[in-house]
Amino acid sequence: MSLQVAPINGTHIHYSQTGPKDGPVMVFANSLGTDLRIWDDVVGVLSQRFNIVTYDKRGHGLSGIGDAPYDISLHANDLIGLLDHLGLNEVIICGLSVGGLIAQKVIEQQPQRVRGLILCDTAPKLGDYDGWNARIEAIKADGIEVLGDAIMERWLSQGFRKDRALETAMYRDMLVRTTAEGYIGTCIALRDGDLRDAARKIAVPTLCICGSDDLATPPDVVREMASMIPNAKFELIDGVGHLPCIETPELLTRLIDRFTKENNLV
């Protein structure tokens, strides 16, 4: 796996590209407070056939924070800029949580560029204005650390947290080490982002996936998104929280593999 950096929209974006360069392109976009490593177990299998791109959105991982005010369009333009940098014109995007909104914004802006969507534990509109403001103010006052345990309960199922405590602690560290500027900026983007009208216009094969124990985007929220998107399919993963790529990467990989084959995306 090659770790690289690209100058994008006034900052630097850290990314990885792996798999056959002549294979169909699949891009993975991360959730709030995570970096590209959350996809490792999925990429390890799919990179046998796909040209895989993972990246850290601005303010996360090893990417720069940048100076521009954050919104979903900025995050989408960062991904579009990365695709331009890599010369990739037809892609499948798999987006998790805010990554799913980024994927929806990319297809709204450049529909010709996206061949298919996999939307994991996300929606066209996430949370409400007051809820995001409360989170922003808490972090401004006491840092991300103050919300670490509560966010783990939203990210990971009770069973995972009990049986895999060391891994839970590791992902908590990933969260709390995210820059406050990048985390708050992305909270603002989520607070103000609303792609419900755009979702109804999506015209590519779309798979919507949710963990049954997801407290951040509960199954009914993801199921509602699937009903908005023409001909979208919905899959529920039992006993899993907000991050199926971490809890059940084998099952998520099988769902993605079946979806791409059924829709002639490979």
Side-chain angles (χ1 to χ4, degrees):
M1 183 179 292
S2 175
L3 303 180
Q4 301 179 66
V5 64
I8 307 291
N9 296 331
T11 190
H12 59 274
I13 297 295
H14 170 236
Y15 71 95
S16 172
Q17 187 174 17
T18 187
K21 292 294 179 66
D22 60 350
V25 182
M26 186 175 293
V27 182
F28 290 86
N30 314 328
S31 55
L32 176 65
T34 68
D35 62 40
L36 57 77
R37 291 173 292 181
I38 65 172
W39 300 106
D40 282 354
D41 290 338
V42 175
V43 169
V45 176
L46 292 177
S47 61
Q48 297 173 31
R49 292 186 295 110
F50 289 91
N51 180 358
I52 301 282
V53 176
T54 56
Y55 75 104
D56 295 337
K57 62 185 165 291
R58 66 171 59 214
H60 291 68
L62 299 180
S63 290
I65 297 170
D67 297 325
Y70 283 24
D71 58 21
I72 296 300
S73 291
L74 178 64
H75 280 305
N77 285 330
D78 286 345
L79 177 50
I80 290 168
L82 179 60
L83 296 177
D84 289 342
H85 175 80
L86 296 173
L88 301 174
N89 293 316
E90 294 186 351
V91 304
I92 305 160
I93 306 178
C94 178
L96 172 63
S97 196
V98 65
L101 273 86
I102 293 169
Q104 293 170 66
K105 193 65 179 179
V106 170
I107 195 170
E108 180 189 36
Q109 295 182 185
Q110 296 195 350
Q112 78 287 351
R113 196 164 206 164
V114 181
R115 301 175 59 220
L117 290 175
I118 300 143
L119 302 175
C120 299
D121 298 83
T122 188
K125 174 67 178 173
L126 290 176
D128 59 47
Y129 196 86
D130 291 341
W132 286 116
N133 279 344
R135 187 183 300 200
I136 290 165
E137 292 308 314
I139 293 170
K140 285 181 177 178
D142 298 303
I144 301 174
E145 174 74 31
V146 72
L147 298 176
D149 292 341
I151 291 174
M152 287 304 102
E153 293 177 4
R154 294 168 66 82
W155 275 13
L156 301 167
S157 68
Q158 183 177 4
F160 185 97
R161 287 181 279 116
K162 177 182 176 182
D163 297 337
R164 298 166 71 174
L166 284 178
E167 290 174 71
T168 299
M170 179 180 68
Y171 290 115
R172 187 184 188 281
D173 286 342
M174 177 186 285
L175 166 71
V176 301
R177 292 173 184 173
T178 304
T179 66
E181 298 94 334
Y183 193 95
I184 289 172
T186 305
C187 285
I188 292 170
L190 285 164
R191 181 194 68 189
D192 299 340
D194 187 344
L195 298 177
R196 284 174 286 193
D197 288 342
R200 296 182 176 92
K201 300 173 185 175
I202 292 173
V204 299
T206 302
L207 175 63
C208 303
I209 299 171
C210 188
S212 66
D213 296 353
D214 188 345
L215 301 181
T217 52
D220 286 349
V221 172
V222 182
R223 193 178 281 110
E224 181 181 4
M225 173 181 65
S227 71
M228 290 182 188
I229 299 172
N231 301 312
K233 299 291 179 62
F234 175 77
E235 291 281 357
L236 185 69
I237 302 179
D238 191 47
V240 173
H242 191 57
L243 304 177
C245 51
I246 288 174
E247 292 202 47
T248 54
E250 304 88 354
L251 179 52
L252 179 61
T253 300
R254 289 200 300 271
L255 290 174
I256 292 172
D257 182 66
R258 186 178 70 188
F259 167 74
T260 57
K261 288 176 178 174
E262 288 178 348
N263 290 281
N264 299 313
L265 298 174
V266 291

